[in-house]
């Protein structure tokens, strides 16, 4: 196993920090409560990798909303006591929590106002999706996977800072490193760096902390795959993480033997595409290790797999539906056969699954009422074959999770307009009325207002730094009112083919021409084949062009 050795802290155990002598203190901050951080694999992967370095001593910060100055979970030290503060940024709304924490700590909010330390470093999905709205706030971004060079750069920074180097000198060093974006200093675009290994996920992420306080209670989370071969046109994971990679079962088994967890959670975008899934689950059962899975594709649900899951005591099955009709699913490149989906639901009912979860996205460009008329009929079929709400002989209840489409950078939808708040609210109301006659079915989902705010931050530029600052001070609703800007130019129009985007300061490895072709295929309803299981040299991560077109 090539991975860095893992130390996992179970229950109430807390890390024992190394002697700080000769080491650079690093604050590793998560913009959210501890329960979320303890279930965030990216944040924990950085903690594990940095903890192996003889140059660094890392302390944990959980930044919840509030005016109190944040303090380390390990020594109660304040945030401004650290020469380097690293933020794990996974969600667009994290910006307000970040600026609020800086203000409470007495740290100037704009990089231009901070001539001296600390160095504020951003990483995580926002770093390679769109760092622009927070670029005036942070000093530097790490664009890529932590295994691909984050810690060596931090070690060099430690050597320089401990030797008396100034902040500008350290930033110049970082700007010259692959994968580091220092606004105003780096040559653009900054190319995202990826861990070596080809199609193999050589160092799968796993939890550093297993706690009853975590969102996934008492569960060691393990990464099975990274990326997705299906390239659904709304999903960044299918384009940014190219080519898709899968873990080796032997590595995951070694991880389980090394950490001896009572329960594991398998994380991945396409779990049932992993050919060793059933064998690994049988091995976990033989080892008397409980397990749970994230959502699976309907075409990967077999009687054998469901038997394994039910024998292990799992009562919930999560299947992604995404589009309301076959037409929309074809446009989005969501390759879902309705008969296969219904067969998976029928098998789940026969195997005693008690709770069926399925996810739907609303607000597609070009969607029509007829698409939702088709959904009405299809939901009725799902309830019939699954005997939803029918007692012991069927699925006890079903949750339909519905969220608005947020067109994301580095997907074909980056050219798409976003549906208005009023249109989304109307659609949400019609969906609530649609499921009312369906016994045992409930509706869940995000409010359109917050989806629109997320969309603004996902697609905006550096002008949104002011909004992040105001939201940290006043909250999002009052902050938006004080900002006084117009969402319309960012959200309500289709972008021109050659219009520059603020996130193109980053190069994620997928060419603009590939994404544009996929946007045109969305509008024409043409499908693109999934990535093959071996390197084909056709996607932008490997060559110039993505795969061919289905008839």
């Amino acid at each position: 196993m090539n991975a860095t050795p893992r130390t996992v802290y179970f229950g109430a155990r807390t890390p024992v920090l190394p002697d700080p002598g000769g080491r650079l203190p690093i604050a590793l901050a998560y913009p959210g409560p501890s329960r979320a951080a303890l279930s965030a694999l990216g944040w924990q992967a950085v903690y594990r990798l940095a903890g192996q370095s003889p140059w660094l001593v890392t302390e944990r910060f959980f930044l919840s909303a509030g005016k109190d100055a944040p303090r380390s979970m390990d020594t109660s030290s304040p945030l401004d006591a650290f020469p380097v503060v690293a933020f794990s940024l996974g969600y667009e709304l994290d910006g307000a929590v970040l600026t609020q924490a800086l203000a409470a700590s007495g740290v100037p909010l704009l990089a231009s106002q901070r001539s001296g330390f600390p160095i504020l470093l951003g990483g995580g999905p926002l770093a390679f999706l769109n760092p622009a709205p927070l670029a005036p706030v942070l000093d530097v971004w790490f664009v890529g996977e932590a295994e691909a060079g984050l810690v060596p750069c931090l070690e060099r920074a430690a050597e320089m800072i401990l030797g008396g180097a100034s902040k500008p000198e350290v930033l110049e060093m970082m700007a010259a490193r692959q994968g580091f974006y220092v606004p105003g200093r780096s040559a653009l675009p900054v190319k995202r760096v990826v861990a070596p290994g080809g199609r193999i996920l050589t160092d799968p992420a796993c939890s550093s902390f297993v706690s009853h306080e975590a969102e996934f209670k008492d569960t060691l989370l393990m990464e099975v795959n990274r990326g997705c071969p299906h390239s659904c046109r709304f999903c960044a994971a299918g384009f940014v993480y190219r080519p898709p990679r899968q873990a080796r079962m032997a590595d995951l088994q070694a991880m389980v033997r090394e950490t001896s967890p009572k329960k594991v959670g398998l994380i991945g975008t396409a779990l049932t595409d992993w050919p060793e899934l059933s064998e690994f689950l049988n091995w976990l059962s033989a080892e008397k290790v409980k397990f749970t899975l994230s959502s699976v594709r309907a075409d990967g649900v077999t009687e054998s797999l469901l038997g394994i899951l039910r024998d292990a005591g799992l009562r919930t099955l999560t299947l992604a539906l995404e589009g309301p009709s076959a037409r929309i699913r074809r446009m989005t490149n969501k390759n879902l056969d309705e008969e296969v989906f219904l067969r998976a639901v029928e098998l789940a009912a026969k195997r005693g699954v008690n709770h069926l979860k399925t996810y739907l996205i609303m607000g597609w460009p070009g969607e029509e009422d007829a698409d939702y008329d088709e959904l009405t009929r299809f939901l009725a079929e799902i309830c019939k074959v699954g005997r939803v709400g029918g007692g012991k002989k069927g699925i006890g209840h079903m949750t339909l999770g519905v969220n608005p489409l947020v067109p994301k950078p580095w997907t074909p939808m980056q050219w798409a307009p976003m549906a208005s708040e009023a249109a989304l609210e109307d659609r949400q109301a019609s969906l609530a009325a649609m499921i009312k006659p369906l016994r045992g079915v409930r509706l869940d989902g995000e409010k359109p207002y917050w989806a629109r705010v997320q969309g603004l931050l996902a697609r905006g530029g550096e002008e949104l730094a002011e909004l992040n600052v105001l939201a940290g001070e006043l909250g999002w609703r009052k902050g938006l009112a004080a900002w006084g800007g117009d969402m319309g130019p960012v959200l309500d129009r289709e972008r021109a083919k050659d219009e520059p985007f603020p996130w193109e300061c980053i190069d994620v490895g997928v060419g603009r021409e590939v994404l544009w072709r996929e946007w045109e295929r969305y509008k024409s309803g043409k499908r693109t084949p999934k990535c093959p299981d071996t390197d084909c040299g056709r996607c932008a991560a490997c060559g110039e062009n993505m795969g061919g077109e289905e008839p």
Side-chain angles (χ1 to χ4, degrees), residues 349 353-354 382-398 438-441:
V353 168
N354 183 59
I382 290 173
C383 291
K384 180 180 179 180
V385 300
R387 302 189 296 280
V388 176
K392 294 182 179 180
K393 293 185 178 180
I395 295 171
H397 59 290
M398 171 180 167
L438 299 177
R439 184 179 178 185
V441 181

Side-chain angles (χ1 to χ4, degrees), residues 85-406:
V85 182
F87 297 93
S88 178
L89 301 170
Y91 304 99
E92 285 79 8
L93 299 180
D94 286 348
V97 182
L98 186 156
T99 58
Q100 188 177 72
L102 295 179
S105 301
V107 177
L109 299 184
L110 298 179
S112 60
Q113 300 168 340
R114 299 188 302 270
S115 58
F117 296 102
I119 290 174
L120 303 186
L121 167 66
L126 290 193
F128 51 82
L129 288 178
N130 185 11
L134 286 171
V137 175
L138 299 181
D139 297 296
V140 58
W141 296 79
F142 179 68
V143 184
E145 299 174 346
E147 312 95 308
L150 173 62
V151 171
C153 183
L154 290 177
E155 291 177 327
R156 177 60 183 142
E159 185 179 13
M160 293 178 68
I161 294 170
L162 295 173
S166 67
K167 179 177 178 178
E169 289 173 326
V170 178
L171 290 177
E172 285 293 340
M173 178 275 294
M174 289 181 160
R177 294 263 180 154
Q178 288 187 343
F180 283 84
Y181 168 41
V182 182
R185 297 177 187 267
S186 295
L188 301 180
V190 172
K191 187 170 179 61
R192 178 173 172 266
V193 291
V194 179
R199 301 299 291 264
I200 302 299
L201 187 59
T202 56
D203 191 4
C206 81
S207 302
S208 294
F209 302 92
V210 174
S211 168
H212 195 66
E213 305 299 320
E215 204 75 63
F216 298 94
K217 298 180 186 298
D218 304 317
T219 302
L220 177 77
L221 301 177
M222 302 169 60
E223 186 182 27
V224 171
N225 55 31
R226 190 177 298 177
C228 180
H230 298 281
S231 301
C232 298
R233 292 176 178 134
F234 55 89
C235 178
F239 290 92
V240 173
Y241 291 106
R242 288 192 171 187
R245 287 161 284 170
Q246 295 180 334
R248 294 171 293 210
M249 187 172 72
D251 289 348
L252 298 183
Q253 288 173 321
M255 193 186 302
V256 171
R257 292 189 184 103
E258 185 179 343
T259 57
S260 300
K262 293 181 179 179
K263 183 179 181 181
V264 302
L266 304 186
I267 304 298
T269 50
L271 286 180
T272 50
D273 282 12
W274 186 42
E276 297 172 305
L277 178 63
S278 292
E279 184 180 355
F280 183 61
L281 295 181
N282 280 323
W283 179 82
L284 287 173
S285 296
E287 295 291 314
K288 297 184 172 20
V289 177
K290 296 180 180 180
F291 55 82
T292 185
L293 278 67
S294 57
S295 66
V296 297
R297 290 179 57 87
D299 55 12
V301 176
T302 64
E303 199 156 0
S304 172
L305 177 61
L306 280 173
I308 296 170
L309 298 179
R310 282 297 296 121
D311 289 345
L314 268 70
R315 302 292 305 276
T316 298
L317 180 67
T318 303
L319 300 174
L321 182 60
E322 313 294 11
S325 67
R327 183 182 76 94
I328 294 293
R329 288 191 289 272
R330 184 175 182 87
M331 292 168 70
T332 64
N333 211 41
K334 176 73 176 179
N335 187 19
L336 183 145
D337 184 308
E338 290 87 347
E339 292 303 317
V340 171
F341 192 96
L342 292 172
R343 174 61 176 161
V345 173
E346 185 179 20
L347 286 174
K350 288 180 179 178
R351 281 290 184 171
V353 168
N354 183 59
H355 185 195
L356 174 66
K357 292 183 179 180
T358 187
Y359 295 106
L360 182 76
I361 297 174
M362 64 178 181
W364 297 102
E367 72 176 23
E368 301 170 356
D369 290 344
D371 297 307
Y372 291 87
D373 293 339
E374 181 178 323
L375 176 65
T376 302
R377 295 189 293 271
F378 191 54
L379 287 177
E381 288 186 70
I382 290 173
C383 291
K384 180 180 179 180
V385 300
R387 302 189 296 280
V388 176
K392 294 182 179 180
K393 293 185 178 180
I395 295 171
H397 59 290
M398 171 180 167
T399 300
L400 178 64
V402 182
N403 289 322
L405 173 71
V406 178

Side-chain angles (χ1 to χ4, degrees), residues 8-59:
V8 178
Y9 298 93
F10 288 89
R13 288 176 55 203
T14 55
V16 177
L17 298 182
D19 187 331
R23 295 173 181 257
L24 183 73
I26 301 280
L28 182 59
Y30 185 90
S34 59
R35 68 177 184 275
L38 297 178
S39 296
L41 284 184
W43 178 82
Q44 294 183 81
V46 173
Y47 184 87
R48 173 176 65 90
L49 293 168
Q52 302 293 324
S53 171
W55 282 96
L56 309 173
V57 55
T58 306
E59 299 193 31

